Every structure is written in structure tokens, then in C-alpha cells.
Amino acid sequence: MKVAANIFWIIGLFFIAAGLLYGFWVEWTEWAGIPAILAVGAMSWMIAWYLQATDKKFGLGPSDDEDGEITDYAGTYGTFAPWSWWPLGLGLACAIIVTGLAVGWWVFIIGVVAAAYFTFGWVYEFSRGKYAH
């Protein structure tokens, strides 16, 4: 994971530099590309930070072993609820949000409220009811 984290640090640095250079190139008049490029750099740095934090917690992973095999990745990666309807509702709420950007702010606000509801439901679905633990 150390190599992957370093790669994402470098990618983030590249996109931040490219975003700043692009901003100077267009004299800070174009406000669609500049924030998008800077956001890609920031997201790359977020991934790099996560990989570094995970590496400190778990140590060497299968990808860090030069003699590692594909089968070393086998195992459980998390707890997933195949019966859950929360992701479907969240997807529909996101569709309402995007539709609200084109139709009107009142539709956008309805989508944001619905997205908050479905996000909380999905996050806390294992904290209550039959499957609580």
C-alpha cells in the first residue's frame, strides 16, 4: 500500500499543479475546469491519505510482497447486506438531485432531504432492528 499511496500523492501533486497552471493560463476566468482539476488533485490526496492510514493499521499487504500471488487477496473484505433497499433509494435521491439542478431548486431540496434520509438509513441499518450488532 505504500507504493499505491506514493503514486496517489504524486498524481494529486500533478493535478494541483496543473489546475494552478491552467488557472494562470486562462487568467482565472474559466470557473468550470479550474475547480474540477483542483478537486481531482484533492481527491487523489484523500485516497493517498487513506492508503497511508490503512497501511499504518494493517502493515504489509499482499500487494507489497514481491513474491505475492493473486490468491493472497482471498478473504472477507467487509459486511454487505444483499437484502438492503437503502442503496436503491439513495440512487433515486441522487437522480432527483441532478434533475433538480435542471428543473428547479425546490426539486433539488427534496432530493437532498431524501439523500440524507437514505444515507443515514444505509449507515445505521446494522445498528437497529433484526440485524443489529
Side-chain angles (χ1 to χ4, degrees), residues 78-81 83 123-133:
T79 303
F80 304 100
W83 62 84
V123 168
Y124 293 113
E125 85 177 319
F126 287 117
S127 299
R128 58 183 165 72
K130 182 178 175 182
Y131 302 105
H133 47 352

Side-chain angles (χ1 to χ4, degrees), residues 2-51:
K2 290 179 184 179
V3 174
N6 289 337
I7 289 171
F8 276 104
W9 283 119
I10 293 168
I11 289 171
L13 181 65
F14 169 77
F15 277 108
I16 295 293
L20 294 175
L21 180 67
Y22 182 68
F24 284 115
W25 186 25
V26 297
E27 298 174 353
W28 302 99
T29 57
E30 195 270 313
W31 287 103
I34 298 168
I37 295 171
L38 293 175
V40 170
M43 287 186 278
S44 296
W45 282 351
M46 287 171 43
I47 294 170
W49 173 82
Y50 174 77
L51 289 174

Side-chain angles (χ1 to χ4, degrees), residues 54-120:
T54 305
D55 183 50
K56 287 179 184 177
K57 184 177 180 181
F58 294 111
L60 292 176
S63 61
D64 295 323
D65 185 12
E66 291 185 12
D67 297 325
E69 296 290 330
I70 297 293
T71 57
D72 294 338
Y73 282 103
T76 304
Y77 283 99
T79 303
F80 304 100
W83 62 84
S84 178
W85 287 88
W86 295 107
L88 178 64
L90 184 59
L92 292 173
C94 290
I96 292 170
I97 289 172
V98 172
T99 303
L101 292 173
V103 173
W105 285 104
W106 63 275
V107 177
F108 178 82
I109 292 170
I110 291 171
V112 168
V113 170
Y117 172 75
F118 285 111
T119 300
F120 282 114

